[in-house]
Amino acid sequence: MELVQSYLNEVSRFLAEEQRKDVLPDLRDAIEEEVFAVSEEAGREPTEDDERAVLAGFGHPLKVANRYQPQRSLIGPELYPAYRQTLRVVLSTVLAGFLVVALVLAHVQDWTIGPWSLFWTGIEIVLWVAFIVTLVFVATEYSGERFNWYENWRPEMISPGTLGVIDRSDVLTNLVSEGVFLLWWNDVLVFQDFFPAFDVSLQLSPAWDAYGLPLNALFGLSFLLHVYVLVTGVWRRQALVAEVALFVAVIAVGVVLLFAGDLVLVEGEFLNEHGVANVQRVVKVTILVIAGFTAWDIWISVKMLLGRPI
Amino acid sequence: MDAEEIAEKLNSEIRRGALVLGVLGQLRNEHYGYSLRKALGDHGLAVEEGTLYPLVRRLEKQGLLTSEWREEDKRRKRFYRLSENGEMVYRQLMSDWDRLNESIARITG
């Protein structure tokens, strides 16, 4: 029975310490019983071939150990959809909270952050949130508790007026670009030392001075709106109308800026007049491209509002 | 995933539930592990050792089976049979099974 003992040792590797004492004697009895029964049927003493045949029937030690476990998955299929939804809601809320805190810190303490630090801070927040939410759901799964909002759902809980589901990647793109813009616009995110030195300095011209508060309001409201729709996962009529109104206002500001003369102050030892004009042109083309994407988003929203398939 | 794989996966889901019923039904009469597996196999419900023994153990822990060690043919064997609670659960499951069977027969018939 040396082979059987080795098999039990293998199974033991995949069992928790407290389970070993309980499971292994039981499994040994089962294997021995099978081996004796097989040899008895053949009318001889048990052989190693009998042991091998029986062990093959039991299967891989990990598989057997797994079948003796009371719980096989950290978060089971019943709870998994609720886990995904909760993760999405908490992540969106925490990232939105981070943006608000960063903006407040920038105004109160002149706090700034570089692009890479911002990226890694974002990753760190996402990982922590995912870890904590996962931990809560694992504990819920093991305790057998269930969420009232999920298990006892009733049709009365449906909010009326939804026009369609959101395109998650589209909303996320908007959310990230609005968040990055707000951080940059409020001097939280600084690109100093991020790009290689070209001996060229770019600064916003006084043409932007009048737009400090309006752009904060427009992008701040858009950001909050997109957090809200990302959490709910659906477009409601009021949200779509608000998005169209905000995007129209963004395009209007962009168009006004296009006619506001030079938008950046360029200084550089090696730039001639022609080079400076080209830089101004690139800035205006960039605004036009952003306006184009925004107009496309407006078109999609209007189509949904009119009830046409997208 | 082709049709065969899908059918195999669905079949294993159906078998998983049916196996519990088969084991409970068979253990209305006393059996030890090997004889239980043989009896199930003889009735067309072949089951691997690695599946049967953990299942029997789980059912015993849930209080649906009782077991006792006895000597038979000069060897100690563990004999299982339905507990009182197991009888009740078995009757309930069988009645559900019959209803389900009738429904499926009506739907597919």
Side-chain angles (χ1 to χ4, degrees):
Chain A
M1 290 277 168
E2 197 183 312
L3 190 62
V4 173
Q5 184 54 49
S6 302
Y7 182 80
L8 290 170
N9 290 342
E10 284 287 309
V11 174
S12 169
R13 277 175 56 208
F14 304 114
L15 289 170
E17 188 82 34
E18 65 275 10
Q19 284 181 313
R20 288 178 189 161
K21 274 189 195 157
D22 199 24
V23 169
L24 291 177
D26 206 56
L27 183 58
R28 177 191 287 279
D29 290 335
I31 294 170
E32 285 180 357
E33 192 176 292
E34 288 279 338
V35 171
F36 278 117
V38 167
S39 63
E40 218 165 55
E41 272 187 358
R44 51 172 166 68
E45 286 296 302
T47 64
E48 201 170 296
D49 280 345
D50 294 335
E51 289 177 19
R52 229 174 252 125
V54 167
L55 293 179
F58 272 87
H60 195 286
L62 177 58
K63 191 160 95 177
V64 174
N66 193 32
R67 287 192 172 143
Y68 275 104
Q69 311 283 330
Q71 184 92 34
R72 285 192 211 145
S73 46
L74 286 178
I75 299 170
E78 279 294 307
L79 216 50
Y80 187 71
Y83 165 68
R84 279 191 58 181
Q85 171 64 7
T86 307
L87 195 58
R88 197 157 52 227
V89 170
V90 177
L91 262 180
S92 311
T93 314
V94 169
L95 285 174
F98 168 70
L99 182 91
V100 173
V101 170
L103 292 177
V104 170
L105 280 178
H107 284 286
V108 175
Q109 297 182 352
D110 289 334
W111 183 69
T112 60
I113 191 169
W116 284 117
S117 302
L118 177 70
F119 176 76
W120 289 117
T121 307
I123 295 284
E124 208 175 317
I125 290 173
V126 168
L127 288 177
W128 270 110
V129 168
F131 173 70
I132 291 165
V133 172
T134 305
L135 215 59
V136 169
F137 270 81
V138 169
T140 309
E141 178 70 52
Y142 274 73
S143 70
E145 288 290 319
R146 289 296 177 261
F147 296 106
N148 196 40
W149 61 268
Y150 184 62
E151 294 297 325
N152 300 324
W153 180 87
R154 295 182 315 279
E156 298 86 68
M157 292 176 177
I158 300 176
S159 320
T162 58
L163 298 177
V165 290
I166 61 165
D167 178 340
R168 199 162 289 132
S169 57
D170 190 38
V171 173
L172 263 176
T173 310
N174 281 332
L175 205 58
V176 170
S177 37
E178 285 152 3
V180 169
F181 175 82
L182 281 168
L183 291 174
W184 170 73
W185 186 245
N186 289 280
D187 297 328
V188 182
L189 180 63
V190 286
F191 288 96
Q192 204 177 350
D193 300 331
F194 182 65
F195 297 111
F198 281 121
D199 271 348
V200 175
S201 91
L202 281 179
Q203 276 187 318
L204 294 178
S205 75
W208 293 85
D209 287 352
Y211 298 99
L213 196 61
L215 282 179
N216 262 337
L218 282 178
F219 279 81
L221 286 172
S222 288
F223 182 83
L224 291 177
L225 177 71
H226 288 133
V227 168
Y228 169 72
V229 292
L230 193 66
V231 167
T232 57
V234 289
W235 279 112
R236 295 200 165 85
R237 185 172 296 280
Q238 299 90 325
L240 269 175
V241 170
E243 184 182 70
V244 170
L246 287 166
F247 281 177
V248 167
V250 167
I251 290 181
V253 171
V255 170
V256 172
L257 281 168
L258 285 178
F259 296 100
D262 290 346
L263 294 178
V264 283
L265 301 175
V266 191
E267 278 176 30
E269 216 175 304
F270 304 107
L271 273 179
N272 55 23
E273 218 170 278
H274 186 65
V276 171
N278 274 341
V279 172
Q280 300 290 358
R281 212 165 288 136
V282 167
V283 172
K284 293 201 171 178
V285 167
T286 306
I287 289 177
L288 264 176
V289 170
I290 292 169
F293 278 117
T294 311
W296 176 252
D297 273 346
I298 292 174
W299 170 236
I300 301 263
S301 301
V302 168
K303 274 212 299 189
M304 199 184 279
L305 274 170
L306 296 175
R308 291 189 194 162
I310 294 165
Chain B
M1 203 185 272
D2 61 23
E4 206 174 312
E5 278 177 281
I6 294 171
E8 203 175 306
K9 199 164 177 257
L10 291 173
N11 187 31
S12 79
E13 280 175 28
I14 294 173
R15 273 180 60 91
R16 203 173 301 147
L19 182 60
V20 173
L21 203 53
V23 168
L24 293 178
Q26 199 62 54
L27 286 177
R28 284 174 298 164
N29 300 315
E30 196 177 59
H31 278 284
Y32 62 95
Y34 180 75
S35 69
L36 171 62
R37 201 167 67 78
K38 283 283 280 180
L40 289 170
D42 291 345
H43 286 100
L45 196 60
V47 52
E48 288 175 353
E49 296 89 328
T51 303
L52 181 66
Y53 287 100
L55 171 64
V56 167
R57 182 190 157 80
R58 197 169 72 236
L59 294 174
E60 191 188 9
K61 285 208 156 193
Q62 287 172 338
L64 304 185
L65 304 179
T66 56
S67 72
E68 69 167 320
W69 286 95
R70 268 206 326 267
E71 198 158 306
E72 190 188 83
D73 299 333
K74 295 179 188 168
R75 275 213 340 269
R76 266 167 56 79
K77 292 173 182 172
R78 191 174 191 171
F79 287 87
Y80 296 93
R81 68 172 307 127
L82 273 191
S83 66
E84 213 170 292
N85 203 19
E87 286 273 3
M88 268 163 40
V89 170
Y90 172 69
R91 274 200 297 274
Q92 173 67 49
L93 285 178
M94 269 317 289
S95 131
D96 291 346
W97 175 267
D98 286 341
R99 265 205 306 275
L100 189 67
N101 228 358
E102 279 168 26
S103 303
I104 296 292
R106 273 200 302 275
I107 292 164
T108 58

